[in-house]
Amino acid sequence: MSALPRSYYDRDTLAVARDLLGCTLVHDTPRGRAAGRIVEVEAYHGEEDPACHAAAGRTLRTAPLYGHPGFSYVYLIYGMYHCFNVVTRGEGHPSAVLVRALEPVEGLDLMRERRALRRRGAGPLAERDLANGPGKLCAALGITLEHNRADLIHSPLRVEAGAPPGAVVWTPRVGITVGTDRFWRCFVKDSTHVSRSHLNRVLAEVPRPATV
DNA sequence: GTACAGATAAACT
DNA sequence: GTTTATCTGTACA
């Protein structure tokens, strides 16, 4: 299996978000391979999207969003967790897709080890809790700030094609206080590996939004 | 099952 | 000094 080509990411951000569902996020390291099927994503699009980090303009932190498609944008959130994005569209159009949840496929033991490092007491983690959140999947795959601005086409960190999912659902994005009117979160409807499952029932479902 | 407090550091004002 | 695209343990139903 090879990485998705750069042209895949140089498209409408919502289309890329939708199409990434069912693909596999893979990270090869000296400790082994960890991989998971992408089941939940969010689109962040342009300086006019108030929830996009680029809404604050181009800074040291947001520079990757303005760069080439097919590169990563990783940042630290709440001082403890990392969030992994893939940059979409051409240079100068600051937009990206946040990967929010994976269904573990390969390297489950490695994922469990990495995740356990972050927990205090606690028993063994259930398979569904390994990567069902943006911070969790970064921990499980060993993604840190050093993977910011990585070229996902030529890197141990990459996205590979996978079987398209069945029905998908679009809802407002999670964890933000602005831009909640845009239904730019997308997840595999039947997946048991989606984040914040307790919210999913009350959120409205809409057809695929217009392209951006 | 739901609700809440607290952890913790980089970037930005 | 403030903000933050989160997660976890504890408390309670």
Side-chain angles (χ1 to χ4, degrees), chain A residues 26-34 106 114 141 155-158 160:
Chain A
V26 182
H27 192 199
D28 285 322
T29 69
R31 297 201 57 200
R33 172 176 298 184
E106 190 173 349
R114 287 173 172 149
L141 263 56
S155 163
L157 182 61
R158 62 190 183 278
E160 299 177 351

Side-chain angles (χ1 to χ4, degrees), chain A residues 3-6 70-71 149-159:
Chain A
L4 294 172
R6 192 166 320 282
F71 279 71
R149 310 192 83 156
D151 183 351
L152 300 174
I153 283 75
H154 308 100
S155 163
L157 182 61
R158 62 190 183 278
V159 185

